[in-house]
Amino acid sequence: MANLLSQSSELEALIVSRKARIGIIGMGYVGLPLALLFSEQHFQVTGFDIDAKKVETLNSGGSYIVRIPAPDIAKAQSSGFRATSAYTEITDMDAIIICVPTPLDEHHQPDLSYIEKTAHAIAPHLRMGQLVILESTTYPGTTEEVLIPILEAGNSAGLRAIRKPGDSGFHVAFSPEREDPGNETVARRDIPKVIGGVEPAASSLAAALYGSIFNRTIPVSSPAVAEMTKLLENIYRCVNIALVNELKQLCMRMGIDIHEVIDAARTKPFGFQAFYPGPGLGGHCIPIDPFYLSWKAKEFDFRTRFIELAGEINTAMPYFVLEQTAAALNENAKSIKGSKVLVLGLAYKRDIDDLRESPSLTIIELLREKGAIVSYNDPYFPTVGHGRHYDLNMTNTPLENLGQYDAVLIVTDHTSYNFREIVEQSQLVVDTRNATKGIDSAKIVRC
Ligand SMILES: NC(=O)c1ccc[n+]([C@@H]2O[C@H](COP(=O)([O-])OP(=O)(O)OC[C@H]3O[C@@H](n4cnc5c(N)ncnc54)[C@H](O)[C@@H]3O)[C@@H](O)[C@H]2O)c1
């Protein structure tokens, strides 16, 4: 027992003195910024990724994420940051943080294969006293029902997760990533870090570790509570966005501007938070995470009706945009078939270089199916090829000669766009983001 206590206080001492070596698995939108935050605090960080190109780019001091400039990588390298694909190096780490993708499969069910493969890969290299933290968004139960069993079964030395004080083995916790890409108003350090350890020592070690880069840590009683917390946050957004998307459609029929309504409602100092309608959900989180819970709920013979209804409304939005574009062209005595349409913005939201699940992709496919000749402009994407749910193979079109298009369709309101000029130069502008607010022109159709 004394030995075990000393093991966990040894790790705590390493954390406090910044001597703990941190391994972060998955050098993507979540893992790489996290690695940089720890490096800033002078921890020695190793980034693990199966993508050899990313490993090579990072090791040569480069970046592949627009909002992370290359000098930030070079600065982290001076604190010892490096990347690798060699899982044997897991043994040298004191804390291991897993940030791999958790998408849905083709049947709209959780795809835990990335977490499972990571767990299989690190299991043989775990050693006594290490701290393993899962950050990937997932359904309640994943850490204890999926991650830990694989880690234990794959460790030939028979190492086990510490489940109660007095056990020996490795510590395990879940701590969700809560960042909002592109949001410059809240510093990442100011987003409190929720932590659910399998037992108290795991929680306090994880709190010590994250406490070095976040201003506040929020301990909860179990990994499942932490897993569910992240899902509640995203379901809350998904349901509220669906609500305003539905009300927008009603307001349009009633001749009321939903944005004016929201702006008035948000002046209430309590009980109301503003959500905004748009062309549909995008990103790795809001369109996907709620369905992790719906799937798990079935195991408990429970239907998550709010999630299903919100999903139905939100996934119908690109079709609504298509209808509105067709109606706007019709007003100009044109059909979608044969019309030249320029889609402005591919990213799923303003000022980011991420097009995962972006409604633009669906909208372009729908327009093409109806015979439109579609081009796109997005400063963040010189080309777009094919992904899990799209096959576009297009090249960025310069933002010029806008009068040649029968319609310019605003799907992403990047701040680099000058919407007044865009309206002046275009024949017809279909605006799904209220980007043309304050511009008075008969050419604009807001939907
Ligand atoms: N992007 C966000 O804004 C955000 C916000 C909150 C939560 N999350 C969650 O964080 C998790 C990671 O998301 P992301 O956006 O960073 O994904 P991402 O696709 O940007 O990055 C994941 C990285 O993991 C790597 N990877 C995959 N399998 C691996 C393996 N077996 N070993 C090592 N590396 C592996 C990939 O090559 C990729 O570089 C997801 O669960 C996501 O839902 C993301």
Side-chain angles (χ1 to χ4, degrees):
M1 177 80 175
N3 186 31
L4 296 173
L5 280 176
S6 76
Q7 251 176 22
S8 99
S9 48
E10 218 173 87
L11 177 52
E12 188 149 0
L14 286 174
I15 292 169
V16 171
S17 62
R18 308 290 197 255
K19 291 202 175 93
R21 289 151 304 174
I22 301 173
I24 298 182
I25 304 181
M27 288 285 94
Y29 288 95
V30 167
L32 181 56
L34 189 65
L36 301 185
L37 283 180
F38 280 118
S39 293
E40 264 173 34
Q41 293 302 316
H42 308 293
F43 283 98
Q44 194 178 325
V45 182
T46 306
F48 293 79
D49 207 295
I50 46 169
D51 184 334
K53 252 169 82 185
K54 285 187 177 171
V55 170
E56 199 187 310
T57 307
L58 293 174
N59 285 339
S60 58
S63 171
Y64 39 80
I65 296 180
V66 170
R67 67 197 148 94
I68 299 180
D72 288 7
I73 307 290
K75 197 169 148 218
Q77 283 176 320
S78 65
S79 296
F81 171 67
R82 48 182 287 280
T84 181
S85 297
Y87 275 111
T88 47
E89 295 186 34
I90 286 291
T91 312
D92 303 329
M93 304 298 128
D94 297 300
I96 298 145
I97 304 176
I98 303 170
C99 308
V100 294
T102 43
L104 293 172
D105 67 15
E106 60 273 24
H107 306 296
H108 232 61
Q109 294 187 353
D111 173 2
L112 288 189
S113 62
Y114 295 90
I115 292 182
E116 289 165 357
K117 280 186 192 139
T118 301
H120 282 294
I122 66 175
H125 310 292
L126 289 179
R127 64 171 167 77
M128 191 83 95
Q130 281 175 317
L131 170 65
V132 179
I133 303 171
L134 179 62
E135 281 214 14
S136 304
T137 308
T138 184
Y139 59 76
T142 308
T143 305
E144 292 184 88
E145 294 164 14
V146 178
L147 179 67
I148 291 179
I150 299 176
L151 295 180
E152 291 182 335
N155 189 275
S156 49
L159 218 55
R160 314 232 351 130
I162 298 172
R163 289 193 170 77
K164 56 179 188 333
D167 283 355
S168 70
F170 52 91
H171 299 278
V172 181
F174 180 85
S175 179
E177 168 53 54
R178 306 165 95 188
E179 86 152 336
D180 180 16
N183 183 338
E184 304 286 337
T185 57
V186 184
R188 191 134 181 220
R189 276 201 80 81
D190 291 328
I191 305 172
K193 197 80 174 102
V194 172
I195 293 163
V198 170
E199 47 68 68
S203 288
S204 74
L205 285 169
L209 185 67
Y210 285 122
S212 63
I213 55 168
F214 291 100
N215 287 332
R216 218 174 132 210
T217 54
I218 313 285
V220 294
S221 60
S222 66
V225 170
E227 289 160 337
M228 188 69 168
T229 303
K230 170 72 187 178
L231 292 186
L232 170 62
E233 290 165 8
N234 284 353
I235 291 163
Y236 173 78
R237 285 189 68 78
C238 174
V239 167
N240 279 288
I241 292 169
L243 175 67
V244 287
N245 275 335
E246 186 173 71
L247 291 183
K248 168 176 82 171
Q249 295 174 53
L250 172 63
C251 281
M252 283 175 68
R253 285 199 194 178
M254 297 173 82
I256 297 169
D257 177 357
I258 182 78
H259 291 278
E260 193 183 348
V261 174
I262 295 169
D263 285 348
R266 66 184 294 208
T267 59
K268 190 176 180 184
F270 49 86
F272 183 83
Q273 189 188 347
F275 288 87
Y276 296 95
L281 293 182
H284 190 339
C285 297
I286 314 295
I288 290 174
D289 302 347
F291 297 102
Y292 267 68
L293 191 62
S294 312
W295 179 84
K296 186 67 178 173
K298 289 191 191 124
E299 194 182 309
F300 296 85
D301 198 16
F302 194 93
R303 251 186 79 203
T304 50
R305 287 168 294 163
F306 268 102
I307 295 174
E308 284 166 31
L309 179 59
E312 202 180 293
I313 293 170
N314 288 329
T315 49
M317 291 315 291
Y319 296 85
F320 177 73
V321 172
L322 178 75
E323 267 171 36
Q324 295 299 309
T325 308
L329 284 166
N330 190 52
E331 283 296 309
N332 288 358
K334 292 175 183 173
S335 62
I336 288 196
K337 194 176 172 110
S339 281
K340 286 178 79 178
V341 180
L342 176 68
V343 170
L344 284 193
L346 283 188
Y348 77 85
K349 71 174 181 177
R350 181 196 299 161
D351 298 344
I352 61 163
D353 60 334
D354 191 345
L355 50 72
R356 286 177 290 181
E357 311 295 324
S358 176
S360 301
L361 305 169
T362 313
I363 290 169
I364 291 175
E365 283 189 331
L366 292 174
L367 285 166
R368 279 179 161 181
E369 273 169 27
K370 294 283 175 208
I373 303 151
V374 188
S375 314
Y376 82 86
N377 174 275
D378 191 312
Y380 292 95
F381 300 99
T383 59
V384 57
H386 61 94
R388 278 162 74 101
H389 308 297
Y390 62 91
D391 191 6
L392 297 182
N393 299 312
M394 296 168 81
T395 308
N396 185 46
T397 305
L399 202 57
E400 57 195 28
N401 200 7
L402 297 184
Q404 67 176 302
Y405 300 103
D406 298 294
V408 171
L409 174 53
I410 302 170
V411 185
T412 317
D413 50 347
H414 289 310
T415 47
S416 59
Y417 289 140
N418 182 331
F419 291 108
R420 196 167 287 280
E421 278 179 13
I422 287 168
V423 171
E424 275 164 18
Q425 292 167 21
S426 305
Q427 296 182 40
L428 168 69
V429 174
V430 180
D431 178 6
T432 68
R433 293 281 189 183
N434 202 30
T436 57
K437 183 181 175 184
I439 304 173
D440 189 16
S441 167
K443 293 185 208 169
I444 303 171
V445 171
R446 297 188 175 93
C447 67

